[in-house]
Amino acid sequence: MNPEIYLDANATSPVLPAAASAAMAAMADGFGNPSSSHAAGLRARALRESVRACARRVLGAPEGRLTFNSGATEGIQTAVLSALVAVREARADGQPCGDLVLIGATEHKAVPESLAHWNRLLGTGLELRTLPVDADGRHRLDVLRELAPRAAFVCTMAANNETGVVSDLDGIAQVLRESASPALWMVDCVQALGKLPLNLSASRIDYAPFSGHKLYAPKGIGMLYVRTKTPFTPLMCGGGQEGGQRSGTENMAGIAALGAVLDALERGDTFRTHAALLACRARLVAALQESFPGVVFNAPLEHALPTTINFSVPGLSSADVLEVFDAAGLRVSAGSACSAAKAAPSHVLDAMGVPDWRGASAVRMSFGPLVEDAVIDQACARIAACARALALPLLQPLPLAVDDAGLVQLEHEGTSGWLLFDPASRTCIAIDPPTALAERTAAMLNAGGYRLLAALSTAQGGAGTLALCAHARQGIAGWPDGGIEARLEDGRHLPALALGQDVLVREGDKYLFGRLRDGVLALRFVFDGAATPVVTPRVAAPAHSEADMELDASAVARWLAAHPEALVVDVRCARECAAGPLELHGRIALNVPLARVTEHASHWLVADTRPLLFVCRSGARSARAARTLRSLGHPRAWSLAGGFALA
Ligand code: PLP
């Protein structure tokens, strides 16, 4: 497996060795509570204050509040609470203040979510209005100019986490000044620290939250800057730590680690310069352009952080790219880490008016200012290797092919269709193709030069046949005229279609597939609309529980030693396998993509009955493969729980 190249720094970064050492020291000798008045406490307090002093110098904030907290979500929360409480109090006093909160359309979800929460809880009744961005992802200053006089609170970010787009903070400040807006202004500075110059006290910014883990400090430590005389309401009350502004015993290990990072920033001898980072990005951009000639960048590079690239490749979804990059050991993401588990399109790209296909294909590559040239070299080489893997045809015969025809499962949200294909004649037949996959299936056929003979439906399916023919611009939806006849074992003669050397026989709204031997159908699959076709010869399935099928990562080495004859099957797609073949405790895995497992089932049920261990990246696909084999009667099909990422 490929060693990891981490290009997801906007999600989080590794910890600077000096920061880890500082945290260890703070937990060992320097474990004192900074509120204690004895020597151990005094030492902790001195450390905390020296980090604060350094932060003030680095952020250009000699004045105003600078409190340590758990991170930007807390800082945003505190700023929102402070601003909304101030609005409520001003209203109660009969003072004029705006009725709008303007929220940058591309803000991190922490901002609109906190605003909605506190606006409701405090009963402030402010109208939360989105401040749109233009196609470059920058705030629409014309809209701001129009609304600024009514704004009570304006929330914008210094740089966007998904696209790296750097906001025109000077432009925003000027509009607020010119329109004599009374608005308080929060600028989420999370992605700016260490990448953009900051001079907070000299700016008009009222609140600026930071998170340490975006710049080589650990998770769980952050800072909030609040301008002098700007309203402030503590989010947490208790022991009065941080001058009563943020109660709770301080995270001294985090503060010490953040101090080491800030120290490095101030010394200027640790992180790469802006020019060096730009050069690194230019090389990645060139590698992407060379490897994927149609690549489109979703934010103008001249307005983006030098450490972030957001791109889309026509014809490849974000998931396609991510899977193959991950197999090659390149850790990138489709957008923000918080939304990685959701399949929702990016609100950031939507706000920029990026076409849907680019949103569905978007990939974010981000690195930190510690990046080394050698890592960029390796990343460029792997991008090229990934492009080669992604260009592989999907309809290929596999090493264990039974007869000639292949069977691909077309699975979408629990519904399944099937594609029977014959590589020799380049012909294929689709059964119950899901509508949602019609475009992708058509692209797969056309890329492989396949001729679609028919798109058929069983009693259960059918909706996608027309869509597939329309997208593929070929094939007939429904049983075509002029087929042949096939004889079944029971003597019946039924209409059939030839697919290479095999035949598909129509029996009412069921389809039987196999080869004619001595003029009689030797059956391989029966498609009757069930989730898995009937695979013949049939084997009686022994009873099993789901738990019997899962092997824990900690148990796998022992299991492999106890089953030297077992076959390890990598069920990732062929492209992932090409980008990073899989080896498990010295065993080379055989690649049979999940979509092709049914095709191979009879081989494993009858011809080669060794125990099977299915493996994939996260454990989801391998669990399904094991379940399919067990349901078809295989007594010894296993799956590696959690995937090889844990093994
Ligand atoms: N703001 C931006 C721009 C971010 O990128 C993030 C994290 O991804 C946050 C806020 C929230 O930071 P945290 O999760 O560290 O509280």
Side-chain angles (χ1 to χ4, degrees), residues 208-270:
F210 295 88
S211 258
H213 72 102
K214 306 289 183 174
L215 192 76
Y216 303 109
K219 289 147 199 70
I221 183 67
M223 306 179 276
L224 176 66
Y225 159 81
V226 182
R227 188 180 175 73
T228 309
K229 294 193 185 145
T230 287
F232 182 85
T233 298
L235 179 69
M236 305 218 265
C237 294
Q241 287 88 347
E242 292 288 89
Q245 300 165 93
R246 199 273 188 180
S247 286
T249 303
E250 293 86 339
N251 168 6
M252 287 306 300
I255 291 173
L258 180 61
V261 172
L262 293 167
D263 232 16
L265 269 180
E266 189 176 28
R267 284 196 317 271
D269 60 0
T270 305

Side-chain angles (χ1 to χ4, degrees), residues 10-11 70-74 76 107-108 110-111 157 159-161 188 190-191 211-214 336-338 364:
N10 287 10
S70 65
T73 302
E74 184 186 330
I76 289 166
E107 290 299 294
H108 186 277
V111 175
M157 63 201 327
N160 185 267
N161 46 311
D188 174 344
V190 168
Q191 298 291 347
S211 258
H213 72 102
K214 306 289 183 174
S336 76
C338 317
R364 175 183 74 181

Side-chain angles (χ1 to χ4, degrees), residues 110-129:
V111 175
E113 293 295 321
S114 323
L115 277 163
H117 177 74
W118 290 107
N119 195 36
R120 190 175 59 245
L121 237 60
L122 296 171
T124 331
L126 286 162
E127 183 187 337
L128 308 182
R129 183 85 71 93

Side-chain angles (χ1 to χ4, degrees), residues 1-2 4 326-327 329 331 551-554 556 570 572 576 580 582-585 614-622 640-647:
M1 269 171 274
N2 291 309
E4 184 161 279
D326 204 42
R331 310 290 180 242
L551 265 188
D552 202 62
S554 60
V556 75
D570 169 8
R572 296 173 306 156
E576 287 170 86
L582 208 152
E583 201 186 306
L584 196 64
H585 297 286
F614 291 111
V615 184
C616 68
R617 182 166 55 99
S618 71
R621 286 175 284 182
S622 57
L640 176 61
F644 65 80
L646 306 185

Side-chain angles (χ1 to χ4, degrees), residues 486-509:
R487 185 151 62 89
L488 269 52
E489 258 182 357
D490 61 11
R492 279 183 300 159
H493 284 81
L494 292 174
L497 288 175
L499 183 78
Q501 308 214 28
D502 297 293
V503 289
L504 184 74
V505 178
R506 180 182 180 187
E507 186 193 16
D509 50 18

Side-chain angles (χ1 to χ4, degrees), residues 106 131-141 158 165-169 172 300 302-304 352:
T106 57
L131 175 61
V133 294
D134 61 19
D136 287 350
R138 304 190 107 196
H139 300 97
R140 290 269 307 274
L141 297 186
V165 168
V166 177
S167 301
D168 176 8
L169 294 183
I172 295 172
E302 67 275 19
H303 289 322
M352 293 166 70

